[in-house]
Amino acid sequence: MTTEDTLCSNATGAPAPRSLLQTLATYREPRLIAVLFMGFSSGLPLALSAGTLQVWQTRDGVDLGTIGFFVLVGVVYSLKFVWAPFMDRIALPGPLGRLGRRRGWAILTQLGLMATIVLLGASDPVAMPAWTAFCAVLVAFCSASQDIVVDAYRIELLDDNQQGAGAAMTQIGYRFGMIASGAGALWMHSDGNGLSWFGVYLVMAGLVAVGIMTVLMTREPPDRRASLAASQAATRGWYALVLAAIAAAAVGAFVVVKYLLFGGIALSDPLKWLPTVSAIVAAAGLPILVVSLLPAPERQIGTYAELHRWLDQSVIAPFKDLARHRGWLVILVFVVLFKLGDAFAGSIANAFYVKTGFTDGEIAWVSKTFGPVVTLLGVASGGLLVARIGLFHSLLAGGIVQMLSNLMFAWQAMVGHNVDFLMLTIGLENFASGIGSAAFVAYLSGLCSVNFTGTQYALLTSLAVVGRTVLSSPGGELAKLIGWFDFFVMSTFMALPGLLLLLWMMRRYPPPARTASAG
């Protein structure tokens, strides 16, 4: 694609027309194949510290209250933006550093994953639940850290016109990883196969080698950052300690706000989201507050002046850089709202299946096996749409089909227990969600500057999670109040704010293009 084509594409949101064969051929590009396997490595650990672990605990007779406590492990993924600047700005020393900034961190997090997954598999959730919880947190931390570097790696490795296909490939790989550590892990432990839980987790740890081999066989993306301060990080080891201390303080702020300040307050159901939102704001704001309150250096030279500039680049500049986008506040609201209707309907979908009379076997087959396969088809279709019709039009198409697919659940509520109709419902919903996800990931990737890729993408995905977790939390209470049919109809309308914002943005703002802003 020429410079003129790129500028035209960025201005209109639709790239130069390409034949279907040309579009499909892009998926054979070696860098996109690498992104596929990196996505697999990212998706693999998630179930091991969540769903698969929960099945293990339940089978071994762990108390339900203790199992419920393990939900807190997921908080680690919501906070990854706190230590993302550390990974974005620091180059590792020694042999890992010689691999490159992104490759070095990728290998370190993947080796950490292998070790912590083995530790978790060797734990005893009945005799030592606290140790099991600690191991699960370690797995989640290494997994979230791998997500930071792999997302940055993908965005920097691919050209702008490959971001749609890259988003599709990473989503496909991610879901294959989740299937391996979810359905695959449970199958290996089933009576017919008889692997112990330790054996299962040992196999899962071995599968992390897929990501390691992919990184070793893929080149380091070019460092296109414009900031000189970024390149000085590797020569100032104690800078890393300062940034780590700030990140630790931010995590501490999250814990204090959510579990100490709100722990003794009885909140009504509509306000249950308040502690989480307040804690996330505190965790995000504390590093910015600390750095902004540091006294300005009296001179422009010297160690303190250099440290002050570097901290400003590491902590404050990524947020300021996001604000360079026209209508950036509207964009951040859109990131929260785009998948809200889809997330609201899915927040209690499993409970809906059970209440409608579907058996565990029917749910496992239709929702956990058939559904993910259809999602992969949707993701691939979404990637093709981005390449064929442009980013904003793909977002609009994905948002509309996501919204309309919620009506299938309302129809299912009228039909009741019918497995064939459930396959149709879940098939259409997952296909629509896959299309929307591919376009959405490509959009988030385009918002990131190459100066701050890891930090900004971690922040944007944390914002996107707010709609799926925090804003969707009243779903159960609402379904009890108005019934399943009305609940799913309402969830359909909850997609409208995001779509209306998108239509408004399409008229006023061009789609994002990655830049290397000076800073």
Side-chain angles (χ1 to χ4, degrees):
M1 183 176 280
T2 65
T3 303
E4 291 78 8
D5 287 337
T6 303
L7 292 174
C8 181
S9 170
N10 289 341
T12 65
R18 309 170 68 196
S19 71
L20 181 60
L21 289 178
Q22 287 177 317
T23 303
L24 289 172
T26 62
Y27 285 89
R28 302 203 314 261
E29 217 272 350
R31 286 179 291 171
L32 288 170
I33 302 296
V35 164
L36 174 71
F37 288 112
M38 289 182 194
F40 175 86
S41 187
S42 286
L44 185 72
L46 184 62
L48 300 178
S49 61
T52 299
L53 178 59
Q54 191 173 105
V55 172
W56 178 9
Q57 291 172 303
T58 305
R59 297 292 187 197
D60 283 9
V62 177
D63 176 70
L64 285 177
T66 302
I67 294 174
F69 172 77
F70 276 72
V71 174
L72 298 179
V73 171
V75 168
V76 175
Y77 291 95
S78 300
L79 288 177
K80 64 182 180 180
F81 67 89
V82 171
W83 63 90
F86 186 88
M87 302 180 69
D88 219 7
R89 311 298 285 185
I90 302 292
L92 290 171
L96 288 177
R98 287 193 288 272
L99 289 173
R101 184 166 50 102
R102 296 304 185 200
R103 295 172 79 212
W105 275 113
I107 296 297
L108 181 62
T109 57
Q110 288 162 346
L111 292 174
L113 266 176
M114 294 183 79
T116 54
I117 289 171
V118 172
L119 275 179
L120 181 56
S123 68
D124 188 336
V126 177
M128 295 187 297
W131 172 250
T132 301
F134 178 70
C135 293
V137 168
L138 290 179
V139 171
F141 175 77
C142 291
S143 174
S145 300
Q146 180 189 224
D147 288 347
I148 293 169
V149 66
V150 165
D151 288 330
Y153 201 150
R154 167 179 54 82
I155 294 170
E156 295 172 1
L157 187 67
L158 302 178
D159 301 329
D160 285 344
N161 64 331
Q162 293 177 311
Q163 291 299 325
M169 292 294 261
T170 197
Q171 290 280 308
I172 291 171
Y174 195 91
R175 279 163 173 77
F176 272 120
M178 291 181 65
I179 290 171
S181 60
L186 297 181
W187 176 81
M188 283 190 289
H189 184 69
S190 64
D191 293 337
N193 299 283
L195 268 183
S196 66
W197 284 114
F198 176 69
V200 169
Y201 274 68
L202 204 60
V203 172
M204 293 297 120
L207 287 178
V208 179
V210 171
I212 294 176
M213 294 302 298
T214 301
V215 171
L216 291 177
M217 295 173 65
T218 307
R219 65 173 173 83
E220 174 77 4
D223 191 343
R224 290 172 286 177
R225 292 175 296 170
S227 171
L228 176 63
S231 64
Q232 296 172 335
T235 63
R236 298 289 190 272
W238 65 278
Y239 283 17
L241 296 178
V242 174
L243 198 54
I246 295 174
V251 174
F254 180 92
V255 173
V256 168
V257 171
K258 182 170 184 179
Y259 299 111
L260 296 183
L261 295 187
F262 284 95
I265 301 176
L267 294 172
S268 60
D269 288 323
L271 294 179
K272 283 184 177 179
W273 52 268
L274 184 59
T276 301
V277 171
S278 302
I280 290 175
V281 170
L286 183 65
I288 297 175
L289 181 64
V290 168
V291 175
S292 62
L293 290 178
L294 288 175
E298 295 181 359
R299 299 181 301 165
Q300 295 303 309
I301 59 174
T303 302
Y304 178 72
E306 186 180 302
L307 173 64
H308 191 278
R309 285 194 299 271
W310 185 75
L311 284 175
D312 183 77
Q313 283 293 313
S314 301
V315 177
I316 296 179
F319 296 90
K320 290 172 63 177
D321 184 78
L322 274 178
R324 69 183 166 80
H325 294 286
R326 290 176 54 201
W328 64 276
L329 283 174
V330 176
I331 290 173
L332 295 184
V333 173
F334 170 73
V335 169
V336 174
L337 294 181
F338 177 66
K339 292 184 76 71
L340 178 59
D342 192 46
F344 208 80
S347 63
I348 53 171
N350 288 318
F352 168 68
Y353 304 147
V354 173
K355 295 290 187 182
T356 309
F358 293 101
T359 66
D360 289 347
E362 290 168 340
I363 296 171
W365 156 240
V366 180
S367 178
K368 308 303 181 186
T369 305
F370 172 73
V373 171
V374 177
T375 301
L376 297 177
L377 297 176
V379 166
S381 301
L384 290 174
L385 272 179
V386 172
R388 295 277 291 170
I389 67 174
L391 187 54
F392 271 175
H393 290 94
S394 300
L395 278 170
L396 182 61
I400 290 173
V401 295
Q402 278 180 172
M403 178 181 70
L404 296 179
S405 69
N406 285 3
L407 292 176
M408 289 300 300
F409 283 101
W411 197 353
Q412 184 77 57
M414 297 176 61
V415 172
H417 181 257
N418 184 310
V419 176
D420 292 335
F421 199 86
L422 182 66
M423 290 186 68
L424 179 62
T425 297
I426 288 182
L428 290 175
E429 194 278 332
N430 284 28
F431 184 79
S433 179
I435 292 176
S437 294
F440 192 50
V441 170
Y443 177 73
L444 297 183
S445 302
L447 289 173
C448 298
S449 163
V450 295
N451 278 340
F452 318 104
T453 318
T455 303
Q456 291 179 340
Y457 196 84
L459 175 65
L460 290 169
T461 50
S462 295
L463 279 175
V465 166
V466 169
R468 189 178 74 240
T469 56
V470 179
L471 298 183
S472 299
S473 59
E477 293 296 324
L478 189 60
K480 284 198 307 184
L481 182 65
I482 64 177
W484 289 115
F485 178 84
D486 291 338
F487 170 78
F488 288 120
V489 170
M490 178 174 288
S491 72
T492 303
F493 284 100
M494 292 188 73
L496 283 176
L499 286 176
L500 293 175
L501 264 183
L502 176 59
L503 288 171
W504 191 75
M505 290 161 57
M506 290 174 71
R507 294 172 60 88
R508 282 172 167 75
Y509 311 128
R514 293 178 298 145
T515 63
S517 59

